[in-house]
Amino acid sequence: MARRGSKQSRTKHTAALMIFKFPPISGRPLWRSAAVLVLIWPLGLTVSAQEGSPSAPHTPSALPSLGDAASQTLSPMAERRLGDRIMRSILRDPDVIDDPLTLEYINDIWQALLTSARQRGEIGPDLEASHAWRPFLVRDRSINAFALPGGYIGVHLGLLAMTGSPDELASVLAHEMSHVTQRHIARMIGDQQRQSWVSIASMVLGALAISRNPQAGQALMVGGQAVAIQGQLNFSRDMEREADRVGFGILGDAGFATAGMAQMFEHLQQASRLTDDNSFPYLRTHPLTNDRIGEARSRMGLNGWQVPATDRDAARLVLLARHALLAARARVLADPRSVSITPLTHPTVPKDATALQTVALHYMGAVASQRLEDRAGVAASLKQARAAALALPRPQQAAIARLLALEEADVQVDGRQPVLAAATLSASVEQDPNSAARVMARPELLLAARIALNLPDARDNRAAWNDAAMHLQTHVSTHAEDASAWTALSALWQRLDQPLRAVRAEAEATAALGDLPGAIDRIEGARKASRRASTADAIELSVMQSRLRTWQRQQREDLAEEGGH
């Protein structure tokens, strides 16, 4: 399930670079010290004390005159094409991972922010229609998030692991979203009218490789790029202020506590004091953290630190519980090395830990033990987590029971116990009053498919294969970018003796992972092998031909841009 991608990105003359050394989490160094290049707008939120609060009458943010001409140079559709081209390369990197539970949580917060941005008028019809508005996960222990052209948002697992509340995480996502809604990428790239979009994409992708080699990155930064980078710093700071102003409003209108932004600043300040040696202070793209904290507090007003009344609501309680457990999960997933995972299998629970903190620590132990294939350790940790959860409010108990059940079923599948895993998953779903929605939730869909595929290859199991295939087919009809779902669907169609549909699903998965030539080869091979197609196969071949034309057109456009460059 794990796939990987961009650690960070940059554009050559349109980007300002920044150096981070990554802070420890819970006082323990979680990442080797490294210099990493990040996109134009790394995790740096700045808010202006002079701006109004979110409660003030809102009008959609107008682009300042500084960006008017540039924003017209790169149309929304052209920006999306650029983003798609970059993502097709990023998605091949194993550090872009698809962890269904974590991605579901990130996406739920993202969707709440999107709804807020739409209601506020930040997302107009042109951006709504053209942009992907899609977050993705990066297996990296550094604390960062970044925006790419076309509405793609990269979220490092280290960011989720260090945030103490959903509000802190949402403040970062709102900031990155605002970079997209305010057309900051279009403005920056628009200044480089002589460069093709594929040239820009190539430079962004080049930074991904450089980010893996700190020495190479450092050599680049002390070279000829520094002058061009310095010339963009003030412009980038203006963008940071605009993104913070807009993001702050989106955050509050989405129902999150606006104190989350200031709290996020404080975390960054503490991390910076611990690890930042100020080697390249001139490359900073935003003011010092002290300034940002003060401005965020000023924007919040006198009552900003009060706990929202919604903290007593069931939905809020569920959100807090999900954040606690999934932040713990992110700590395990962020670094797959056994030397990093082993200490997490038996966490020390502080004497003053709350019940939720205790549950989260034991859940982390279960996830870590699973990664080390220690099924006895998983069982022990899940038992401790369930016992601690009894002290929590009932809404939180239900949310936690789901996460623990999915972990248990996942381990049972790994242990070649698909029947037992199916029973665990079924019991978990039946306990949910909204069980119909649970059946179609992505984590449950993908787990059910794994369970079905682990059943013996016998006729008696065709009903289970068919049921899983039908649910996945419904899912991919509205989520064509879901490579994991397409891959599982391909395997199910093979079990059901439908090779043509299996090849089509495999081609869709390949394309969703950015490999257009591979997807095209699979379709063309299937067409040649199906000289005498049945009526059902003819329909499938017609669909495949349509997809083939789409991928061939995308490939021609990519090649034409490369030739022009």
Side-chain angles (χ1 to χ4, degrees):
M1 241 177 168
R3 292 182 297 101
R4 235 169 85 160
S6 138
K7 287 204 176 168
Q8 292 92 6
S9 304
R10 68 164 173 82
T11 57
K12 186 174 182 181
H13 293 296
T14 62
L17 304 182
M18 181 173 180
I19 302 279
F20 273 116
K21 288 191 177 177
F22 304 122
I25 299 174
S26 299
R28 187 174 61 85
L30 289 182
W31 192 255
R32 62 187 179 278
S33 294
V36 175
L37 302 177
V38 294
L39 193 63
I40 316 165
W41 31 87
L43 180 61
L45 312 176
T46 10
V47 278
S48 169
Q50 286 77 25
E51 305 292 350
S53 68
S55 59
H58 171 74
T59 56
S61 303
L63 297 176
S65 58
L66 178 64
D68 288 345
S71 63
Q72 295 171 8
T73 302
L74 190 70
S75 70
M77 286 305 300
E79 184 183 336
R80 173 63 185 273
R81 284 180 61 204
L82 171 57
D84 288 348
R85 174 63 186 272
I86 294 170
M87 287 301 296
R88 281 198 289 274
S89 292
I90 286 177
L91 289 172
R92 302 173 201 173
D93 189 321
D95 271 347
V96 168
I97 71 165
D98 181 5
D99 182 68
L101 279 172
T102 308
L103 196 56
E104 177 191 57
Y105 175 60
I106 295 289
N107 195 57
D108 285 349
I109 290 181
W110 179 253
Q111 291 300 322
L113 295 170
L114 272 180
T115 299
S116 172
R118 289 171 180 136
Q119 292 173 346
R120 290 169 57 87
E122 305 294 352
I123 300 176
D126 53 347
L127 293 184
E128 181 72 60
S130 63
H131 280 37
W133 302 115
R134 180 175 145 200
F136 61 94
L137 290 175
V138 181
R139 178 165 45 211
D140 194 314
R141 294 168 72 173
S142 63
I143 300 167
N144 196 29
F146 55 92
L148 290 175
Y152 295 102
I153 306 296
V155 180
H156 288 204
L157 286 170
L159 173 68
L160 175 56
M162 68 82 67
T163 52
S165 72
D167 311 296
E168 294 175 15
L169 178 62
S171 74
V172 177
L173 296 180
H175 173 82
E176 299 302 329
M177 178 186 292
S178 299
H179 278 305
V180 179
T181 65
Q182 299 311 108
R183 307 297 319 282
H184 289 166
I185 300 174
R187 298 183 193 179
M188 299 289 280
I189 296 176
D191 281 347
Q192 308 298 319
Q193 298 183 33
R194 296 181 181 179
Q195 297 187 46
S196 67
W197 66 264
V198 72
S199 174
I200 301 292
S202 297
M203 288 185 288
V204 172
L205 293 170
L208 302 182
I210 293 173
S211 69
R212 300 186 184 283
N213 187 334
Q215 289 75 26
Q218 199 168 36
L220 173 67
M221 285 182 286
V222 298
Q225 296 298 318
V227 175
I229 292 165
Q230 180 64 48
Q232 295 293 334
L233 282 176
N234 292 335
F235 190 30
S236 295
R237 285 172 180 155
D238 289 341
M239 290 180 176
E240 292 294 331
R241 284 190 289 271
E242 185 174 46
D244 287 329
R245 172 175 57 82
V246 175
F248 190 90
I250 291 173
L251 180 71
D253 286 0
F256 294 99
T258 53
M261 185 170 280
Q263 289 165 344
M264 191 66 209
F265 291 158
E266 291 181 340
H267 286 315
L268 290 172
Q269 182 189 50
Q270 181 182 16
S272 177
R273 285 175 176 171
L274 287 171
T275 64
D276 189 355
D277 61 3
N278 293 309
S279 295
F280 298 94
Y282 60 90
L283 295 179
R284 296 188 181 280
T285 59
H286 51 81
L288 294 176
T289 307
N290 280 333
D291 297 336
R292 297 200 303 277
I293 293 175
E295 291 167 351
R297 285 174 171 169
S298 176
R299 184 185 292 280
M300 286 164 49
L302 296 177
N303 299 321
W305 290 103
Q306 292 182 358
V307 177
T310 52
D311 269 3
R312 296 188 294 271
D313 293 345
R316 176 68 179 180
L317 289 172
V318 168
L319 188 63
L320 292 170
R322 289 179 71 195
H323 186 91
L325 268 66
L326 289 167
R329 183 182 184 88
R331 287 191 62 183
V332 179
L333 300 181
D335 189 342
R337 299 174 302 164
S338 60
V339 68
S340 297
I341 295 176
T342 300
L344 304 180
T345 58
H346 297 92
T348 300
V349 180
K351 292 182 179 180
D352 59 347
T354 66
L356 183 55
Q357 290 169 340
T358 302
V359 173
L361 285 170
H362 289 310
Y363 177 68
M364 181 180 70
V367 176
S369 295
Q370 183 195 9
R371 295 307 182 275
L372 297 178
E373 299 183 358
D374 177 9
R375 284 187 280 278
V378 174
S381 292
L382 290 178
K383 181 178 179 180
Q384 291 173 307
R386 288 186 171 114
L390 296 176
L392 294 172
R394 191 171 298 276
Q396 289 187 327
Q397 290 187 33
I400 288 170
R402 179 208 178 196
L403 295 177
L404 300 183
L406 288 175
E407 183 65 24
E408 182 177 15
D410 210 18
V411 172
Q412 290 165 342
V413 175
D414 289 344
R416 300 184 183 279
Q417 298 175 301
V419 176
L420 186 58
T424 300
L425 179 59
S426 178
S428 172
V429 171
E430 288 173 0
Q431 292 172 5
D432 194 320
N434 194 19
S435 58
R438 275 282 304 280
V439 168
M440 293 303 294
R442 186 170 181 266
E444 278 79 0
L445 274 179
L446 294 177
L447 182 55
R450 282 186 61 215
I451 291 171
L453 289 168
N454 275 273
L455 293 170
D457 194 356
R459 288 276 174 185
D460 294 345
N461 293 319
R462 288 184 67 87
W465 299 335
N466 190 70
D467 184 61
M470 290 299 99
H471 280 108
L472 281 179
Q473 190 68 57
T474 300
H475 172 76
V476 296
S477 66
T478 54
H479 299 85
E481 77 289 347
D482 193 338
S484 296
W486 281 116
T487 298
L489 186 57
S490 176
L492 287 165
W493 287 138
Q494 286 284 10
R495 292 285 184 92
L496 292 165
D497 301 317
Q498 298 196 44
L500 201 60
R501 299 184 81 173
V503 171
R504 187 269 172 110
E506 183 185 12
E508 293 283 3
T510 304
L513 289 173
D515 184 5
L516 293 183
I520 291 170
D521 287 346
R522 284 164 174 76
I523 296 296
E524 289 180 334
R527 290 172 60 211
K528 292 176 181 177
S530 304
R531 299 296 185 186
R532 297 180 180 178
S534 65
T535 302
D537 283 348
I539 295 174
E540 189 67 26
L541 284 169
S542 176
V543 174
M544 293 168 73
Q545 179 64 29
S546 174
R547 298 298 288 147
L548 179 64
R549 286 194 294 267
T550 297
W551 295 331
Q552 287 174 331
R553 184 178 66 252
Q554 290 177 338
Q555 189 178 44
R556 285 194 300 270
E557 290 171 353
D558 289 352
L559 292 173
E561 288 288 347
E562 288 173 0
H565 175 60

